[in-house]
Amino acid sequence: MTAPKASLAVGAVPIQMPTMVAMLGLPMPESAPAPRIDMKMAAVLTPMVGQSWVPPKPPALMGKMASLSSLAALLPLTDIAALMQELQEMVSSLAENVQPVLSAAAYMPKKPMFNMVMAARMTLSMRAQGLCPMDLSGLDSTFAQAEGLPPAPGKFNATMGAVRGMGPIPKFALPIPMQTMAMTLASLGPLETIPTSLAMPPVSSTSFAGAAMALLAKLATLPPLPIDASKLLSELATLTDLAAIQAAFGEGAMTTAGVGKVQAMLNYMARLPLPPIPPLALGLQPKLDMLPPLPAVEAGARVASLNVQTFNQTMSLSPPRVPILTPLMALNALKNVLADILGVEPHSGCPVCMG
């Protein structure tokens, strides 16, 4: 994770790459069509439409408690002294380990960097669906071999055959109100497993609302963190972009040889003849990518349906404003990127991983 060691002379992603992502999402000839995620979600949500227990939006108190639930694994929220010490260590470590990477990234040329990021994301999307463009273009088969992907020519030919012989594509199965319902329920999912570290009674308990209000009032007294949450989220996006480039093209992606290989792959893809596919197929994948995970929706539905009395009780409550909550959520998002993508915790210095 370092600044580029060569000029980022990378052109725009050709239309063939997003088209291939859409094609790879179609059912292959040798497999029975599986229900898409939107169809599965519609089957789950349809019986809920019109049910009184489905909240039109998350109650303010329940939404904040769901956020705290997702933070409890990262921070000791019920011990103010330990929490403040942990935050001070985390902020110091961010300045020491993460800021140098971000400072180097700030000098990257914007347009070529954008092209590099888009090339990486398209490559990862294609690879996740069984076809690596670096392998297809004959430039680098190591990524495909590492993930056990089928031979590129065979996968490509099977995809082309599926496209040429496909029938009508079912339209996106979720109307906008149902999409909103899915997002609302998913946001409540963390309430199903509120960690014991929060020392909270069950959501079904009549004392839950009072205990939740007391915890929020306690957290509301904390001083603001010496970080800008919006800036941190912007920096998080930069780290995520760098991680995507490294995941797609390897540690040498930002060297002269690495950049040249990426451009050669883009040139190959730009010359690749593809059969036309309906516009519906091209526009479907972005909608599917926006949907929350189905297990989160189902968890939120269980919480809402089993705790109607608590939800009704909290609907009219106005929880205290907790200024520290937004920075904490930003830190949690950064922690997830560092832990899940880069392999380090934000407070465990790793000069090898962080460059």
Side-chain angles (χ1 to χ4, degrees):
M1 300 299 296
T2 60
K5 297 180 175 65
S7 173
L8 277 178
V10 181
V13 171
I15 186 61
Q16 282 88 341
M17 293 191 77
T19 301
M20 279 298 301
V21 171
M23 287 182 174
L24 290 165
L26 299 172
M28 294 294 102
E30 69 274 9
S31 63
R36 295 189 320 237
I37 180 61
D38 58 323
M39 297 175 181
K40 294 179 181 179
M41 199 167 290
V44 170
L45 294 176
T46 297
M48 303 180 193
V49 175
Q51 296 294 318
S52 60
W53 55 266
V54 179
K57 61 180 181 179
L61 178 63
M62 305 304 274
K64 286 190 175 182
M65 292 308 298
S67 297
L68 291 181
S69 178
S70 66
L71 292 171
L74 171 68
L75 296 165
L77 297 176
T78 58
D79 186 334
I80 298 300
L83 173 62
M84 294 307 298
Q85 180 178 353
E86 181 83 9
L87 291 176
Q88 289 173 0
E89 292 176 358
M90 189 178 296
V91 171
S92 297
S93 185
L94 286 173
E96 179 180 352
N97 295 316
V98 178
Q99 291 302 325
V101 178
L102 295 170
S103 297
Y107 292 97
M108 298 179 186
K110 300 301 181 185
K111 186 60 177 178
M113 182 62 185
F114 174 80
N115 293 341
M116 189 76 162
V117 172
M118 289 301 297
R121 296 202 182 284
M122 287 291 102
T123 295
L124 292 175
S125 295
M126 290 177 63
R127 197 184 299 162
Q129 298 186 72
L131 182 63
C132 178
M134 298 295 280
D135 186 26
L136 180 64
S137 59
L139 292 164
D140 193 337
S141 62
T142 57
F143 301 104
Q145 292 172 356
E147 298 195 20
L149 301 183
K155 177 69 174 181
F156 177 77
N157 292 334
T159 302
M160 296 302 98
V163 171
R164 294 187 181 98
M166 69 183 178
I169 299 175
K171 68 177 183 179
F172 188 63
L174 293 172
I176 291 179
M178 204 173 284
Q179 295 176 52
T180 302
M181 181 192 299
M183 298 301 293
T184 296
L185 293 176
S187 71
L188 298 172
L191 290 173
E192 188 174 53
T193 55
I194 284 185
T196 55
S197 59
L198 281 180
M200 292 290 298
V203 178
S204 58
S205 170
T206 56
S207 60
F208 175 83
M213 291 288 283
L215 176 59
L216 289 171
K218 188 176 182 181
L219 293 174
T221 64
L222 295 180
L225 290 177
I227 59 174
D228 183 332
S230 60
K231 180 182 178 183
L232 184 60
L233 290 174
S234 175
E235 294 173 340
L236 170 63
T238 300
L239 284 177
T240 305
D241 289 342
L242 292 172
I245 293 172
Q246 184 168 298
F249 306 125
E251 294 183 4
M254 295 301 209
T255 63
T256 300
V259 171
K261 189 184 293 185
V262 172
Q263 185 59 60
M265 180 271 289
L266 294 176
N267 292 341
Y268 175 88
M269 294 299 298
R271 298 190 301 267
L272 196 64
L274 300 179
I277 65 173
L280 179 61
L282 281 174
L284 182 61
Q285 193 62 46
K287 294 180 180 179
L288 299 178
D289 292 341
M290 291 295 293
L291 295 178
L294 183 56
V297 175
E298 293 173 324
R302 287 191 295 269
V303 170
S305 63
L306 295 175
N307 300 283
V308 176
Q309 183 175 353
T310 303
F311 271 68
N312 290 338
Q313 180 185 1
T314 61
M315 191 67 73
S316 60
L317 294 177
S318 297
R321 180 174 174 270
V322 183
I324 201 173
L325 183 56
T326 299
L328 287 182
M329 295 299 290
L331 283 173
N332 190 46
L334 179 60
K335 171 258 183 186
N336 290 332
V337 168
L338 297 177
D340 298 340
I341 299 179
L342 305 182
V344 298
E345 297 288 342
H347 50 278
S348 61
C350 179
V352 175
C353 296
M354 297 307 301

